[in-house]
Amino acid sequence: MLETEVLIIGSGAAGLSAALGIAGHKKVIVISKSNSTIGSTYFAQGGIAAVMDKKNDNFVSHIEDTLKVGAGLCKKEVVAKTVVQAPSIIKWLEEQGINFTKLNHSRELHLTREGGHTNRRIVHARDATGAEVQNNLLIKARNHPNITILPYHNVVDLIMLDGFDKKQCVGAYVLDIKTNHIRTIKSSFTIFATGGAGKVYLYTSNPDTSSGDGIAIGYRSGCRVANMEFIQFHPTCLYHPKAKSFLISEALRGEGAILKLTDGTRFMRKFHKMEELAPRDIVARAIDYEMKRTGGDHVLLDISHKTKAFIITHFPMIYRKCLNFGFDISKEPIPVVPAAHYTCGGLETNMHGQTSISNIYAVGECASTGMHGANRMASNSLLECFAFAKFAAKKIINTPHSPPSKKIDIPNWDESLVINSDEEVVVSHNWEELRRFMWNYVGIVRTDKRLERALRRINILQKEISEYYGNFKITHDLLELRNLALNAELIIKSALSRKESRGLHYNTDHETTKREIRDTILRKRSS
Ligand code: FAD
Ligand code: SIN
């Protein structure tokens, strides 16, 4: 049994920056089910949105762009509070050792552009911003005396007590992946920083860690979940059987790359006045439409009109990676397809990152703060991770608390009634089936009939998974499958309940956008 004041689940941008914000005041344990480095943060390319060029840009413009892309569902006060934090967050990140790309060897930051932004405001570290951020924050956290990092620890569920007048979290049961034993961690505050749920879909830009665990665990614990129908599909992932949906950053389009059909025709002009830099939902839907219309299995992204020196200076990682797959992007266009990229919904929080259960927080992609609404604008995600980690840290530091549930007797995990599985293949079959029908029936373009079909499938799978979970010893894969299935159910139910098209949710049976604006809220009925 371990004890800590604050338990942070996840070691990406959100988890590590929350840990560093709190550790001057309270003891923190950060767990991650990976090696602590891998998560979406590590793979972020484009950068972090921040108004840094005070001459040509301003907060009002960043706020207005975010609200517009969010299609009416962003919370204006949340957007404003987050956007004004951005310059100080960039300064803080530089103090942590992060080396952002500068303008022509000066000390001034180079700012790039991405979809939806009307100005250049993306701060970046070449085309591998995430790796630079992740590596530096991890070094800082590892060296902090008040932070303990436990890699390869997968949270199973939170430990909840029915308090005097409300539910309370007193810690978590955690699978130590290396030993396959369950440990108990007691905590006064618990923060989910578990990232998104991209792995629900067959094709995704996300790493394997993105199985929506925090959203599922939070939901099972009684937290409210908001707006899960809004899944963002990134328009341009490399089309190659071995590339595992390698992302080709929107910053390429920001620097002039053009989308074309395989016969060389440009097509974005037909869909939006901002053409290649239209909001992501519009670009992804346009590509989906053109692929279906022409019967093609990909479209092309072309930056070969720029000089090789320009391409290598701005996009060294993407240039190298594509070359490894046989494409010289300085000479030829890149074959691309859309793939699931970002979970806009998640555990509903207030301005402090608090969920509907007051000592459970959610920060980063697993949260639904009101920042992104029905569609997230490019590079606003990392910004939200840092901003809400900061808000949550401040709230936790200033909340008086008793030491971690000293008097509460938490039972250890009981494995006496379950046996080792003799049919692990059930897990991989269900995993494959789930991701495929989510891709086919709950993708970029939806219909009521496809959503209902998906609901019938998920109900059957959920039953099978829960029987399996009840009878056999827990494994890492089984935990992820159980959480993926719950995320799929939440996405389908949310999508079915929204009888309109808005932002990322496009249903051909309900093509108009209603005047009434509402969030989709799901909460587990208490048993
Ligand atoms: P993550 O970085 O995903 O970290 C999640 C952590 O939770 C990991 O440590 C994981 O091990 C841990 N975890 C998960 N479940 C459990 C569990 N059950 N038990 C224990 N630990 C668990 N956004 C931008 O703003 N700009 C960009 O340029 C950008 N580029 C992107 C490029 C790619 C390829 C991808 C995939 C995303 C990109 N995004 C970008 C989105 C952004 O990177 C993510 O939204 C953000 O990094 C999420 O950070 P996070 O800390 O919430 O989660
Ligand atoms: C990209 O670089 O295209 C990804 C940016 C983002 O998801 O915000």
Side-chain angles (χ1 to χ4, degrees):
M1 174 111 51
L2 292 171
E3 276 191 21
T4 182
E5 290 175 285
V6 186
L7 171 63
I8 301 182
I9 308 168
S11 61
L16 291 177
S17 49
L20 289 165
I22 295 167
H25 305 262
K26 292 187 197 292
K27 288 228 176 270
V28 179
I29 290 182
V30 179
I31 63 169
S32 89
K33 63 179 179 178
S34 64
N35 59 1
S36 303
T37 300
I38 298 303
S40 286
T41 300
Y42 182 79
F43 297 97
Q45 295 182 2
I48 305 165
V51 173
M52 304 303 288
D53 172 6
K54 297 274 158 54
K55 247 198 285 165
N56 299 302
D57 198 7
N58 58 69
F59 292 141
V60 173
S61 164
H62 189 176
I63 293 166
E64 278 174 0
D65 290 348
T66 303
L67 296 177
K68 199 162 174 193
V69 172
L73 221 60
C74 299
K75 294 197 170 54
K76 198 171 174 184
E77 64 285 10
V78 171
V79 175
K81 192 176 169 196
T82 305
V83 161
V84 300
Q85 287 291 323
S88 64
I89 285 169
I90 298 299
K91 187 165 171 272
W92 179 78
L93 288 168
E94 287 183 312
E95 286 161 11
Q96 307 312 305
I98 287 141
N99 184 15
F100 292 116
T101 300
K102 309 291 185 308
L103 198 60
N104 300 329
H105 309 292
S106 70
R107 290 175 63 190
E108 215 179 307
L109 293 169
H110 178 267
L111 303 172
T112 191
R113 247 187 103 175
E114 288 183 296
H117 293 272
T118 50
N119 276 306
R120 282 189 171 264
R121 65 168 74 99
I122 315 297
V123 178
H124 62 106
R126 296 163 308 281
D127 56 350
T129 309
E132 175 73 12
V133 166
Q134 180 72 32
N135 292 335
N136 280 288
L137 292 186
L138 199 52
I139 291 171
K140 286 278 171 190
R142 281 188 176 135
N143 288 330
H144 201 294
N146 264 356
I147 300 178
T148 305
I149 300 184
L150 299 176
Y152 301 110
H153 278 66
N154 189 350
V155 173
V156 180
D157 266 316
L158 298 188
I159 306 167
M160 301 298 297
L161 287 187
D162 282 324
F164 210 38
D165 56 351
K166 51 184 186 248
K167 268 185 153 190
Q168 205 202 357
C169 171
V170 291
Y173 291 119
V174 178
L175 175 73
D176 178 339
I177 297 170
K178 295 271 179 187
T179 63
N180 228 25
H181 280 110
I182 305 280
R183 305 177 78 171
T184 304
I185 305 182
K186 277 187 178 182
S187 60
S188 302
F189 301 92
T190 298
I191 305 182
F192 284 115
T194 44
K199 291 298 282 188
V200 167
Y201 288 90
L202 191 57
Y203 303 109
T204 174
S205 64
N206 289 191
D208 290 345
T209 48
S210 300
S211 47
D213 298 359
I215 299 171
I217 296 167
Y219 177 82
R220 281 197 295 272
S221 310
C223 299
R224 280 157 61 100
V225 171
N227 294 337
M228 286 296 285
E229 64 274 39
F230 299 111
I231 299 293
Q232 181 172 80
F233 292 80
H234 196 290
T236 57
C237 286
L238 181 62
Y239 177 70
H240 187 284
K242 297 217 170 100
K244 218 182 165 202
S245 301
F246 172 66
L247 189 84
I248 308 292
S249 176
E250 200 157 290
L252 260 81
R253 279 176 278 135
E255 298 297 340
I258 289 161
L259 282 163
K260 294 174 175 171
L261 299 178
T262 46
D263 67 4
T265 321
R266 283 186 78 164
F267 59 90
M268 273 315 297
R269 238 165 248 170
K270 283 193 299 193
F271 296 93
H272 199 274
K273 64 175 188 304
M274 288 177 86
E275 303 185 1
E276 273 75 7
L277 286 177
R280 239 171 236 180
D281 57 328
I282 290 162
V283 183
R285 259 198 314 276
I287 295 175
D288 184 71
Y289 174 85
E290 289 297 338
M291 279 167 54
K292 284 181 179 143
R293 188 181 67 77
T294 59
D297 46 17
H298 64 274
V299 295
L300 299 171
L301 181 68
D302 197 355
I303 195 163
S304 63
H305 51 281
K306 295 275 181 183
T307 65
K308 187 169 179 170
F310 176 90
I311 292 171
I312 292 177
T313 307
H314 284 264
F315 307 108
M317 189 267 293
I318 293 173
Y319 175 79
R320 234 181 310 111
K321 194 92 178 189
C322 287
L323 208 53
N324 288 343
F325 286 113
F327 304 105
D328 182 343
I329 69 172
S330 69
K331 295 200 178 115
E332 58 192 323
I334 314 163
V336 291
V337 284
H341 181 62
Y342 186 82
T343 312
C344 288
L347 298 170
E348 187 192 40
T349 76
N350 63 14
M351 293 276 226
H352 310 294
Q354 256 172 323
T355 68
S356 52
I357 297 175
S358 68
N359 70 343
I360 303 177
Y361 288 68
V363 290
E365 194 171 335
C366 66
S368 173
T369 62
M371 172 73 186
H372 307 309
N375 184 20
R376 173 183 69 95
M377 191 163 66
S379 289
N380 265 351
S381 169
L382 286 173
L383 169 60
E384 187 208 35
C385 285
F386 299 122
F388 272 79
K390 192 170 167 183
F391 305 152
K394 189 167 172 210
K395 179 74 181 168
I396 288 174
I397 290 166
N398 292 319
T399 305
H401 68 282
S402 42
S405 354
K406 274 267 181 294
K407 285 180 238 101
I408 299 165
D409 196 17
I410 298 176
N412 275 325
W413 187 260
D414 181 9
E415 280 191 325
S416 60
L417 297 175
V418 291
I419 54 170
N420 283 325
S421 163
D422 55 357
E423 265 198 292
E424 289 274 345
V425 70
V426 172
V427 174
S428 55
H429 282 176
N430 284 349
W431 176 281
E432 162 79 18
E433 187 185 337
L434 177 131
R435 298 182 67 214
R436 194 171 286 282
F437 76 63
M438 286 301 288
W439 182 259
N440 288 333
Y441 301 150
V442 198
I444 297 175
V445 176
R446 299 162 180 180
T447 67
D448 282 350
K449 205 162 151 190
R450 284 189 211 150
L451 292 174
E452 275 151 17
R453 209 174 277 160
L455 185 65
R456 284 198 294 277
R457 299 276 196 292
I458 196 66
N459 284 340
I460 298 170
L461 274 192
Q462 287 277 52
K463 231 166 132 196
E464 270 182 39
I465 293 166
S466 109
E467 271 170 27
Y468 195 90
Y469 186 82
N471 292 328
F472 297 112
K473 271 195 179 161
I474 279 171
T475 62
H476 178 64
D477 288 348
L478 176 59
L479 286 177
E480 287 192 343
L481 173 66
R482 179 179 177 238
N483 291 331
L484 278 181
L486 181 49
N487 275 272
E489 181 189 328
L490 296 172
I491 296 168
I492 297 165
K493 286 185 170 162
S494 303
L496 270 168
S497 79
R498 187 169 288 280
K499 303 291 184 206
E500 63 168 345
S501 290
R502 180 186 294 278
L504 296 160
H505 174 70
Y506 185 70
N507 183 332
T508 55
D509 292 320
H510 310 278
E511 278 191 301
T512 51
T513 305
K514 288 186 175 164
R515 287 184 68 176
E516 176 214 357
I517 288 173
R518 65 156 185 94
D519 290 320
T520 308
I521 304 291
L522 297 177
R523 187 177 200 168
K524 191 178 163 214
R525 270 183 257 129
S526 43
S527 40

